[in-house]
Amino acid sequence: MKDVIIACDFDSAEQTLLFLDKFRKSKPFVKIGMELFYSAGPDIVHRIKERGHRIFLDLKLHDIPNTVRKTMKVLSHLDVDMCNLHAAGGSEMMKYAVEGLTREDDSRPILLAVTQLTSTSGEMLHDELLISSSMQETILAYARNAKRSGLDGIVCSPLESELIHKEVGEDFVTVTPGIRFADNETADQVRVTTPAKARLLGSDYIVVGRPITKADDPVAVYDRCCREFCGE
């Protein structure tokens, strides 16, 4: 099932809830990132969930395995549908994360590994991160490590979705930020594409932030995303 996730990158609970008030006929899937979570705390998760929204908690954990396991155990008590960590933390960290996130009844949210940020260019990968492999080779290796570690999918640019499904599995979830309409500026992201193209490339979920949240009519832009990506 394909879906559009709105990145609610606001700095307060009040701004976020006022924004969500605009959606009277639908309950979009919502991403809570670091800015909002650090500003409003875990309570914002409960308040948004009470309104009937699904939640992607985007905190991108990256630490020693034991710290990540204990943190995921805390997050497991929040009623979120999806959360993530950095694949660069390695296989042991990812396995510990699965262990910590899994509740006593064996349920847990979808767990994703962030491969490379959509702001990372090939030049940055080589010159600053000192990774000699290509972007696609790096992301594919991270995805395979994530699957072997028991994760459900990855966060990647839409440009890598097709490769991931082909090489790692159709059931391995791809969540893709870096979505812009053809008439939008790309801002600080360099590996981007449109909702329609992301659909063709096989993304399972797209994450759309500023094109929706900064729009004069966010609901209309969200509906446009759904039509182009989900065929609705």
Side-chain angles (χ1 to χ4, degrees), residues 9-20 35-36 214:
D9 294 327
F10 300 105
D11 62 9
S12 72
E14 291 70 28
Q15 278 186 288
T16 305
L17 297 177
L18 283 172
F19 171 77
L20 293 177
E35 180 181 13
L36 179 57
K214 300 296 185 183

Side-chain angles (χ1 to χ4, degrees), residues 4 24 31-32 97 126-127 135 181 190:
V4 175
R24 298 178 181 177
K31 181 179 80 71
I32 298 174
H126 298 151
D127 299 341
M135 183 70 72
F181 294 110
V190 295

